[in-house]
Each structure stands twice: as structure tokens, then as C-alpha cells.
Amino acid sequence: TRTSRPQRILKAVQRKATVGDPQSVITAIDHFCRHREWAMNVGDEKGSILDSVVSEVSPVTVLELGTYCGYSTVRIARLLPPGACVITLEFNPDYAAIARQVIKWSGLEDKVQLVEGASGDWIPWMKEHFGVQAFDLVFLDHWKERYLPDTKLLEECGLIQKGTVLLADNVICPGTPDYLEYVRNSPRYNSHYYRSHLEYTKAEDGLEKSVFLGY
Ligand SMILES: O=C(NCCCOCn1ccc2cnccc21)c1cc(-c2ccc(F)cc2)cc(O)c1O
Ligand SMILES: [Mg+2]
């Protein structure tokens, strides 16, 4: 049967990118998704905003919800200092298998822990299983209707502490209205909207950055 889109994205990386060169992996995926087939990577435009937030926060522990093919995982991991790591959660085992190979091709596997499963199942175990105290940065890019319940779950599990930065993709397209309403109206978050475009298109989309202010 036909290959999957993630498999074709991995092929493009293996054909066009240099092993151990994260930027060439990012460039290869962006070129493929702009000129061959659209795919739901955060993309180059929103990716630059992601880069600036990661650089500003310079996190030691990052949680990414939604790995897909590992594009944003590579964008984040390439900016992390030695000793820092990103835990990335992917629900779809086929996506996870591709992402592992993309992350390996970039040479960043030592900075990445890819976990397969559902956020609701895994978040309560993060402290115990990974020895995480709290996350410095959380990148939300999974099911849009899970952004709000998972943010509340992260709060309840003490994985969000004063200064933790939440960065949410797709707050306009496909949209996360209940999440936006929560972080923008809560006295415990300082929120900012970075206006941009849906990856590889002219449609509006953006990232919402929300800093937890503590209880
Ligand atoms: O749907 C999207 N992403 C989510 C994937 C599943 O994630 C499932 N998933 C991944 C970990 C994880 C952990 N627990 C539960 C579910 C979990 C998504 C969709 C679009 C999009 C925009 C316009 C369109 F016309 C069509 C699609 C763009 C994006 O940038 C996205 O990120
Ligand atoms: Mg997204």
C-alpha cells in the first residue's frame, strides 16, 4: 500500500538533510511541506517564534505535547544547553516511529525523551517516572480540546510552577477557544498572543505564550 505522509517526510529528510545537522532537517521538512505536501508541523514562521521563546526561557526541562514527525522537537532540542532535555509525548505509534528516526537523523537523541501514550494518562506519572520537579516550558500542540484539561491537570500535579511558560500552537486555526479564555482571564497567568499564519499557508494562526504567576 501507499506510504504514509510521515513516511514521505522522513524520506525527504534522509534525501536532503545531513546527519547530525538539525538545521538541515528543519529546512528539508519545511521545503517538502511547502512545495510537495502540506503537513501539520509548526512550520518555519511560527517555528521562528518558538525559537525565540525557547531562547528567552532557556529551559532545563521542556514538555512537548504532540510530537508528530519531530519537527518542533528538533527545533526545541537544537537550542537546549547541555544537560537540558525535552520530553515529548505522542499518541500515534506510527507518528512516534517516524519522529524517532527524524530526531536520530538530527543527532539530538540525547536531548529528547519520546514517550508514546495519552496526555491524560501520562501527566500524573511524569514526576515519578522522569524525576521532573516542574517544567520550565510546555509546548502544547496536540488535540486542541485537550489543551485546557491538560493545563489544569499539569497545575494539579504540581508540574507548573511560578515562572513556567506555556506556549500553545493553533490557538486560532484549528483554534482552542476554551483554553484561550482560561489563560487570558486567569489572574494566575500573564498571556501574550503572537500573531502568525497557519504553517505553509496564508491563513491566520498564532501562538499564545502564558507565564504562570504562582498561586
Ligand atoms: O491536530 C493538530 N495537531 C494534533 C495532532 C494529534 O495529536 C494527538 N496527540 C498527540 C499527543 C497526544 C497526547 N495525548 C493525546 C493526544 C495526543 C493540528 C492540526 C492542524 C490543522 C490546521 C488546519 C487544518 F485544515 C487541518 C489541520 C494544524 C496544526 O498545527 C496541528 O497541530
Ligand atoms: Mg500545531
Side-chain angles (χ1 to χ4, degrees), residues 23-100:
Q23 190 53 55
S24 72
V25 169
I26 292 162
T27 303
I29 294 174
D30 283 331
H31 187 274
F32 180 82
C33 294
R34 191 171 284 284
H35 301 292
R36 291 274 178 276
E37 295 181 66
W38 185 91
M40 60 180 170
N41 316 115
V42 74
D44 45 354
E45 197 179 305
K46 289 186 288 177
S48 298
I49 299 166
L50 170 62
D51 289 357
S52 64
V53 172
V54 173
S55 301
E56 171 202 326
V57 175
S58 53
V60 174
T61 47
V62 183
L63 173 63
E64 175 180 65
L65 299 173
T67 316
Y68 188 44
C69 296
Y71 173 90
S72 49
T73 322
V74 168
R75 285 202 82 111
I76 294 166
R78 86 190 200 287
L79 298 175
L80 296 182
C85 84
V86 43
I87 297 170
T88 182
L89 192 54
E90 180 48 57
F91 179 74
N92 181 313
D94 300 322
Y95 293 172
I98 297 295
R100 288 189 200 286

Side-chain angles (χ1 to χ4, degrees), residues 85-118:
C85 84
V86 43
I87 297 170
T88 182
L89 192 54
E90 180 48 57
F91 179 74
N92 181 313
D94 300 322
Y95 293 172
I98 297 295
R100 288 189 200 286
Q101 296 175 78
V102 168
I103 291 159
K104 192 148 176 50
W105 197 274
S106 72
L108 292 165
E109 63 273 18
D110 295 347
K111 292 182 178 296
V112 179
Q113 291 242 27
L114 197 160
V115 184
E116 294 178 41

Side-chain angles (χ1 to χ4, degrees), residues 38-43 46 139-145 147 168-177 180 184 193-208:
W38 185 91
M40 60 180 170
N41 316 115
V42 74
K46 289 186 288 177
F139 181 53
L140 298 98
D141 195 20
H142 61 327
W143 285 332
K144 308 314 162 193
E145 67 278 5
Y147 283 26
D169 188 25
N170 311 119
V171 296
I172 302 300
C173 178
T176 63
L180 271 191
R184 289 178 175 176
Y193 175 60
Y194 293 85
R195 186 166 186 221
S196 184
H197 296 94
L198 176 68
E199 49 267 24
Y200 318 114
T201 78
K202 291 188 165 62
E204 182 180 348
D205 190 23
L207 301 173
E208 186 84 0

Side-chain angles (χ1 to χ4, degrees), residues 129-151:
H129 196 272
F130 294 104
V132 171
Q133 224 268 325
F135 290 110
D136 302 303
L137 173 66
V138 181
F139 181 53
L140 298 98
D141 195 20
H142 61 327
W143 285 332
K144 308 314 162 193
E145 67 278 5
R146 288 298 311 179
Y147 283 26
L148 182 53
D150 286 342
T151 295

